[in-house]
Amino acid sequence: MEGLKLSEAELMIYIHPSKSRNVFQAICRELSSLLFQYNETFDGVLLAYDATVKSKQAKILAGLHPYFGVRVNTRLLLFDPKPKSFVEGKIVKISPESIHVIVLGFSAAVITDVDIREEFKYRVRDGEGSFVSRSHKRHALKLGTMLRLQVQSFDEEVMHIAGSLLPENTGCVKWLEKKSEEALHTDRDHKRRKFA
């Protein structure tokens, strides 16, 4: 999935002297306070981190509360979906006007009817709505389906994605993977016949 990136950074974490007994725990607490929030310094939403203390020496800051700074090497997993990138999420609500998706369990995405390919038609069966492809009847988008969508915009403050299903390589992830496997097998068979 696009939008995820692994980054390495050397950070200076400032810790209150009262936390000096267990510095590593204080570092983890500081980094944990940044989780699932957009951070301009990291240019993304921090999803996970791995930290190692670079040096046992700390730099003491003068002031009313003499904090001390500890250099930390970190590996950060960041989420920052750029426009035109592709992300995947689970469909949680469908209506004739929109499809609502949860990406990575925390970010909401909405695809409005103007951003859904004309190939998909809204249907209600057994009281549940779904979008079904007119050209491929097995390509259906319903509640619980894992969906690949194209990012149009990402609002960092509320972690909201405006998405699109207009590109051909968007839709139900299982159906898209099956289609690509079939195309790969067809291509292999064609090459075998060509060289035979």
Side-chain angles (χ1 to χ4, degrees), residues 131-143:
F131 281 93
V132 180
S133 171
R134 293 177 186 168
S135 54
H136 305 281
K137 300 295 182 197
R138 294 185 184 260
H139 192 183
L141 311 176
K142 53 189 173 185
L143 288 178

Side-chain angles (χ1 to χ4, degrees), residues 127-191:
E128 288 190 23
S130 64
F131 281 93
V132 180
S133 171
R134 293 177 186 168
S135 54
H136 305 281
K137 300 295 182 197
R138 294 185 184 260
H139 192 183
L141 311 176
K142 53 189 173 185
L143 288 178
T145 300
M146 286 302 290
L147 183 73
R148 180 175 301 142
L149 58 119
Q150 184 180 47
V151 176
Q152 289 184 319
S153 66
F154 178 58
D155 185 346
E156 296 95 3
E157 287 185 24
V158 292
M159 312 248 189
H160 186 271
I161 297 171
S164 171
L165 288 177
L166 294 176
E168 289 294 319
N169 58 341
T170 58
C172 175
V173 173
K174 281 185 180 180
W175 188 86
L176 292 169
E177 288 174 353
K178 187 179 270 189
K179 181 180 165 188
S180 67
E181 283 179 20
E182 288 173 0
L184 184 66
H185 289 293
T186 304
D187 189 44
R188 283 184 189 161
D189 291 343
H190 179 70
K191 285 180 181 178

Side-chain angles (χ1 to χ4, degrees), residues 17-31:
S18 67
K19 308 288 186 201
S20 63
R21 284 188 178 251
N22 196 338
V23 174
F24 191 72
Q25 184 181 24
I27 289 169
C28 289
R29 191 171 288 138
E30 286 295 317
L31 289 172

Side-chain angles (χ1 to χ4, degrees), residues 2 13-14 50 134:
E2 297 174 13
I13 306 287
Y14 297 102
D50 181 26
R134 293 177 186 168

Side-chain angles (χ1 to χ4, degrees), residues 7-175:
S7 180
E8 294 192 18
E10 184 179 307
L11 303 174
M12 177 71 81
I13 306 287
Y14 297 102
I15 299 170
H16 192 274
S18 67
K19 308 288 186 201
S20 63
R21 284 188 178 251
N22 196 338
V23 174
F24 191 72
Q25 184 181 24
I27 289 169
C28 289
R29 191 171 288 138
E30 286 295 317
L31 289 172
S32 293
S33 71
L34 302 174
L35 288 172
F36 299 106
Q37 297 176 24
Y38 186 84
N39 190 309
E40 288 183 15
T41 305
F42 301 147
D43 191 29
V45 178
L46 181 62
L47 299 180
Y49 65 86
D50 181 26
T52 54
V53 178
K54 184 176 181 182
S55 170
K56 298 246 184 217
Q57 296 181 352
K59 180 180 178 184
I60 298 173
L61 301 174
L64 189 58
H65 297 287
Y67 281 74
F68 61 95
V70 180
R71 289 197 185 279
V72 178
N73 287 337
T74 58
R75 289 180 44 190
L76 309 171
L77 178 62
L78 302 167
F79 178 64
D80 186 30
K82 302 289 185 202
K84 304 283 184 198
S85 65
F86 295 93
V87 296
E88 296 174 3
K90 188 175 187 177
I91 297 177
V92 292
K93 182 180 176 187
I94 292 184
S95 71
E97 298 84 30
S98 62
I99 299 173
H100 299 261
V101 179
I102 295 293
V103 177
L104 294 174
F106 73 93
S107 183
V110 173
I111 305 156
T112 59
D113 57 349
V114 295
D115 293 315
I116 298 173
R117 286 194 303 273
E118 289 184 18
E119 160 191 352
F120 290 105
K121 183 179 180 185
Y122 183 78
R123 292 185 182 163
V124 177
R125 184 176 278 176
D126 298 329
E128 288 190 23
S130 64
F131 281 93
V132 180
S133 171
R134 293 177 186 168
S135 54
H136 305 281
K137 300 295 182 197
R138 294 185 184 260
H139 192 183
L141 311 176
K142 53 189 173 185
L143 288 178
T145 300
M146 286 302 290
L147 183 73
R148 180 175 301 142
L149 58 119
Q150 184 180 47
V151 176
Q152 289 184 319
S153 66
F154 178 58
D155 185 346
E156 296 95 3
E157 287 185 24
V158 292
M159 312 248 189
H160 186 271
I161 297 171
S164 171
L165 288 177
L166 294 176
E168 289 294 319
N169 58 341
T170 58
C172 175
V173 173
K174 281 185 180 180
W175 188 86

